[in-house]
């Protein structure tokens, strides 16, 4: 073998350089002396017990949500620089445990925080709703001076020349940006692994997936290394990590939050002929979700992103208090596991006890048509631009993608036209589900997935999330409780699987070691009509209050 043959492939060299860069951006006194062994299944207590965080830093990162933290900064109870240092340090700890970060810019964040402190000390009002609040970003967002490599060697060491539109909005709102987070190769997988940065680990249970494609964001928020994060979603990429890591998360309609200026590894305009993605928050509370929407709306993003509808945010306090919420139990493609079915019963009972009117909504005949159509529209371009980037550095597909992704001929105009025609017809039919003889349905609850949080690379059943991207309905995730021993009971009903997806889903329950699910989050998905994010947030908050035993709204008569 020649010396040249023994040298690392180009992508391996790039990966090592990026990892060295990451390591160099973590201060020496923020580094863990030892890493947990394979016997440690949860990393959640390590930040508190590792000795790297002071009592003040623990208080800052654990005792506030974003709303409370923004108020404390405004009232000068805490300084922006202390808040930023605490979250930078905790993010560094989270990264060393879970491999959740890509780009690290702690030094820039601390400089920004000092400027924001000076702004307040000079007697000026806060820049915006997020003044001094640290915000983490999925790697797809462009931040001037830093890569948006999305885990591809071909895009590494090519720092962005300008910020994504949403990044500009966050900065104008007063946010402190300090890191970007890991994603799966090609952004087309449900677990966050790529050749450049490696795999993100779920901090709640290292045996199960952290989700994707905003998996780094989910893990970082779960470890409270971020008080408020921003991801993107085109098939479930905010909602799946929210479910896997036990956070709140919302995928808005396409036209509500600015998406311009992101890196997706595709040709410009490609999403316009397929299915566009959305940007949205992952957070610790529902009021933090509303804070995000309020803060971005206040920046009038429709003046800087031509795709954003000019819809100012309406505070939930201004909305009618009566709610009518539906329960959608199955999609007709994959039947949910017994604990997922029972979780819907729990949520229904809690809502009724809190005074919310709940109705059963069987939309299976329409729901079952969504997944195949969404899959077809995802494949309009054939994925060839992404594969070109990989091949330019001899970069192999990750193991999960290797058997699922290959070059395809892009569709011709007639094929694309027919698919969009089918989508338009389906969206028109779906309008009927929101109204019956008893009144309007404000939102409905359904599974995020037909199974609990699965082992690494075993996530199945994206139909429960991608369908609402196809329909452009805003959808979010509400954590309910953790999976307990009682949830291991029950068997799948029926004999023959509905199809290949249902067969794979049954293999995650029947004859499967269900103990892997213990301690993982059980969550529900909430869906509202198109561009009605306010109604979605209101319904999610009502569900969150109900499952925690708080009385919320009066039933709609």
């Amino acid at each position: 073998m020649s010396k040249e043959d023994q040298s690392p492939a180009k992508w391996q060299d790039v990966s090592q350089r990026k990892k060295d860069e990451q390591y160099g951006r973590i201060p020496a006194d923020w580094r863990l002396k030892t890493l947990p062994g394979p016997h440690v299944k949860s990393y959640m207590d390590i930040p508190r017990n590792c000795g790297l965080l002071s009592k003040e830093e623990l208080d800052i990162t654990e005792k506030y949500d974003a709303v409370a933290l923004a108020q404390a900064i405004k009232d000068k109870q805490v300084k922006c620089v202390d808040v930023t240092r605490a979250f930078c340090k905790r993010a560094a700890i989270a990264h060393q445990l879970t491999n959740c970060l890509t780009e690290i810019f702690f030094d820039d964040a601390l400089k920004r925080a000092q400027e924001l402190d000076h702004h307040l000390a000079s007697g000026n009002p806060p820049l915006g709703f997020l003044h001094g609040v640290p915000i983490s970003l999925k790697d797809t967002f462009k931040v001037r001076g830093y890569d948006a490599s999305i885990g591809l060697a071909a895009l590494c060491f090519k720092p962005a020349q300008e910020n994504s539109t949403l990044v500009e909005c966050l900065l104008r709102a007063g946010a402190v940006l300090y890191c970007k987070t890991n994603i799966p190769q090609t952004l087309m997988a449900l677990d966050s692994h790529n050749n450049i940065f490696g795999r993100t680990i779920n901090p709640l249970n290292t045996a199960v997936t952290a989700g994707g494609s905003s998996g780094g964001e989910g893990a970082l928020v779960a470890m409270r290394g971020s008080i408020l994060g921003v991801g993107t979603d085109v098939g479930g990429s905010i909602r799946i990590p929210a479910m896997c890591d036990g956070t709140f998360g919302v995928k808005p309609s396409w036209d509500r939050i600015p998406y311009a200026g992101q890196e997706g590894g595709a040709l410009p305009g490609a999403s316009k002929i397929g299915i566009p993605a959305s940007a949205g928050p992952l957070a610790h509370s529902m009021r933090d979700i509303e804070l995000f929407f309020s803060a971005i709306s206040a920046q009038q993003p429709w003046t800087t992103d031509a795709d954003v509808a000019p819809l100012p945010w309406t505070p939930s306090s201004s909305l009618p208090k009566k709610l009518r919420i539906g329960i959608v139990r199955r999609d007709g493609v994959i039947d949910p596991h017994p604990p997922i079915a029972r979780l819907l019963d729990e949520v229904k009972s809690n809502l009724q006890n809190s005074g919310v009117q709940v109705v059963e909504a069987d939309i299976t005949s329409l729901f079952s048509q969504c997944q195949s159509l969404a899959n077809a529209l995802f494949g309009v371009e054939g994925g060839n631009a992404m594969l070109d980037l990989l091949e330019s550095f001899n970069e192999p597909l990750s193991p999960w993608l290797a058997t699922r992704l290959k070059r395809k001929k892009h569709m011709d105009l007639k094929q694309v036209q027919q698919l969009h025609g089918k989508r338009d017809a389906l969206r028109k039919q779906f309008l009927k589900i929101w109204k019956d003889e008893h009144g309007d349905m404000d939102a409905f609850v359904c599974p995020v997935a037909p199974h609990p949080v699965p082992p690494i690379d075993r996530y199945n059943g994206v139909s429960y999330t991608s369908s609402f991207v196809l329909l452009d309905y805003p959808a979010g995730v509400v954590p309910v409780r953790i999976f307990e021993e009682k949830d291991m009971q029950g068997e799948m009903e029926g004999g023959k699987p509905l199809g290949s997806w249902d067969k794979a889903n049954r293999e995650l329950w029947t004859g499967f070691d269900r103990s892997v699910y213990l301690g993982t989050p059980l969550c529900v998905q909430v869906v509202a009509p198109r561009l009605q994010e306010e109604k979605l947030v209101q319904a999610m908050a009502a569900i969150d209050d109900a499952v925690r035993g708080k009385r919320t709204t009066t039933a709609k008569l």
Side-chain angles (χ1 to χ4, degrees), residues 514-529:
R514 301 170 191 175
S515 66
V516 72
Y517 300 133
L518 291 171
T520 60
L522 285 171
C523 306
V524 293
Q525 182 173 206
V526 189
V527 183

Side-chain angles (χ1 to χ4, degrees), residues 323-329 344 347-348 351-352 356-363 433-434 436 440-447 524-528 539 543:
L323 284 171
R324 189 167 185 257
I325 295 178
I327 302 292
V328 172
R329 297 187 175 275
L344 293 176
V347 170
K348 178 180 179 179
L351 281 171
Q352 290 173 327
V356 175
Q357 184 181 357
V358 183
V359 295
E360 292 287 337
D362 184 357
I363 62 172
I433 74 168
W434 299 105
D436 61 24
D440 294 346
M441 184 167 64
D442 296 299
F444 64 78
V445 181
C446 68
V524 293
Q525 182 173 206
V526 189
V527 183
I543 292 164

Side-chain angles (χ1 to χ4, degrees), residues 63-76:
K63 291 188 175 181
Y64 295 89
D65 64 1
V67 170
L69 188 58
Q71 187 63 48
I73 291 170
K74 181 180 178 181
D75 294 341
K76 300 180 182 178

Side-chain angles (χ1 to χ4, degrees), residues 167-318:
V167 169
E168 287 291 340
C169 289
L170 290 166
L171 291 171
R172 291 199 302 272
V176 177
L177 308 179
Y178 63 113
C179 63
K180 296 206 294 176
T181 53
N182 204 22
I183 37 70
Q185 184 187 59
T186 75
L187 304 172
M188 299 179 192
L190 305 175
D191 206 311
S192 292
H193 169 269
N194 60 73
N195 293 327
I196 303 304
F197 299 107
R199 183 182 299 280
T200 294
I201 301 300
N202 190 322
L204 286 82
N205 180 342
T206 60
V208 300
T209 179
S213 63
S214 307
E217 203 61 51
L220 183 64
V221 173
M223 292 206 75
R224 298 196 71 90
S226 174
I227 201 162
L228 183 60
V230 188
T232 66
D233 191 313
V234 74
S237 295
I238 289 172
R239 291 161 290 159
I240 290 169
M243 178 194 107
C244 294
D245 300 296
T247 76
F248 296 89
V250 167
K251 176 210 79 71
S253 294
W254 304 324
D255 300 338
R256 201 64 197 265
I257 295 294
Y259 193 84
Q262 294 209 46
E263 180 58 67
L267 298 175
S271 66
K272 302 293 186 183
I273 58 172
I275 298 181
S278 301
L282 292 95
H284 297 283
S285 69
M286 277 311 303
R287 66 179 194 163
D288 285 358
I289 295 286
E290 182 158 16
L291 173 66
F292 172 84
F293 282 105
S294 299
I296 300 306
S297 176
Q299 303 307 313
Q300 299 184 327
W302 47 87
T303 64
T304 52
D305 185 338
D307 287 330
V308 177
L311 295 174
W313 183 258
T314 302
S316 58
S317 58
S318 302

Side-chain angles (χ1 to χ4, degrees), residues 13-29:
D13 178 56
V14 172
S15 173
Q16 188 59 56
R17 288 171 61 199
K18 287 300 293 184
K19 289 176 181 177
D20 289 345
E21 180 183 77
Q22 283 183 324
Y23 185 78
R25 289 178 177 171
I26 297 176
D29 57 350

Side-chain angles (χ1 to χ4, degrees), residues 259-542:
Y259 193 84
Q262 294 209 46
E263 180 58 67
L267 298 175
S271 66
K272 302 293 186 183
I273 58 172
I275 298 181
S278 301
L282 292 95
H284 297 283
S285 69
M286 277 311 303
R287 66 179 194 163
D288 285 358
I289 295 286
E290 182 158 16
L291 173 66
F292 172 84
F293 282 105
S294 299
I296 300 306
S297 176
Q299 303 307 313
Q300 299 184 327
W302 47 87
T303 64
T304 52
D305 185 338
D307 287 330
V308 177
L311 295 174
W313 183 258
T314 302
S316 58
S317 58
S318 302
L319 298 175
K321 300 302 180 185
K322 298 176 182 179
L323 284 171
R324 189 167 185 257
I325 295 178
I327 302 292
V328 172
R329 297 187 175 275
R330 55 194 296 271
D331 70 350
V333 177
I334 309 173
D335 282 335
H337 289 180
I340 305 302
R342 292 192 295 265
L343 189 68
L344 293 176
D345 290 333
E346 290 179 32
V347 170
K348 178 180 179 179
S349 177
N350 286 325
L351 281 171
Q352 290 173 327
N353 290 338
S354 70
V356 175
Q357 184 181 357
V358 183
V359 295
E360 292 287 337
D362 184 357
I363 62 172
T364 308
S365 61
L366 294 176
F367 205 166
S368 60
Q369 299 178 48
C370 292
Q371 178 59 24
S372 60
L373 183 54
N375 281 345
L377 282 164
F378 286 140
V380 166
E381 186 268 338
N384 295 312
M386 187 73 76
L387 289 169
D388 287 344
L389 290 170
L390 286 164
E391 291 174 6
S392 69
F393 268 68
N394 300 317
E395 189 175 345
L397 287 169
S398 63
W400 189 86
L401 286 167
T403 59
R404 292 171 170 84
L405 184 64
K406 59 183 178 181
R407 285 190 180 275
K408 295 180 181 178
K409 183 180 178 181
H410 63 76
M411 296 183 188
D412 61 32
L413 180 60
K414 184 176 181 180
Q415 289 174 303
V416 176
Q417 171 262 314
Q418 289 175 340
L419 290 175
H420 280 276
K422 289 180 180 179
R423 181 173 68 180
D424 288 346
L426 190 58
R427 289 173 68 185
K428 183 177 180 180
Q429 288 178 287
F430 255 91
L431 292 175
K432 300 174 184 177
I433 74 168
W434 299 105
K435 187 184 294 287
D436 61 24
E437 65 272 20
H438 301 295
D440 294 346
M441 184 167 64
D442 296 299
F444 64 78
V445 181
C446 68
V448 189
H451 49 66
V453 184
I456 291 169
D457 281 341
R458 293 291 302 275
Y459 196 99
N460 184 61
V462 72
S463 58
Y464 282 90
T465 49
S466 65
S467 297
F468 305 120
V469 182
L470 176 80
L471 299 167
D472 196 25
Y473 287 166
V477 169
V478 176
V480 177
R481 60 176 178 83
I482 63 169
F483 190 103
E484 303 171 351
E485 286 195 16
K486 66 179 182 180
D487 296 308
M488 296 169 62
Q489 300 173 4
E491 302 301 330
M492 298 290 292
E493 295 182 0
K496 187 177 180 181
L498 300 175
S500 60
W501 287 101
D502 192 45
K503 180 177 182 293
N505 184 56
R506 288 168 182 260
E507 291 170 357
L508 287 169
W509 189 255
T510 304
F512 184 79
D513 180 7
R514 301 170 191 175
S515 66
V516 72
Y517 300 133
L518 291 171
T520 60
L522 285 171
C523 306
V524 293
Q525 182 173 206
V526 189
V527 183
R530 182 175 182 269
L531 289 172
Q532 295 191 35
E533 282 74 15
E534 289 92 339
K535 191 172 286 188
L536 173 70
V537 168
Q538 183 189 24
M540 290 175 67

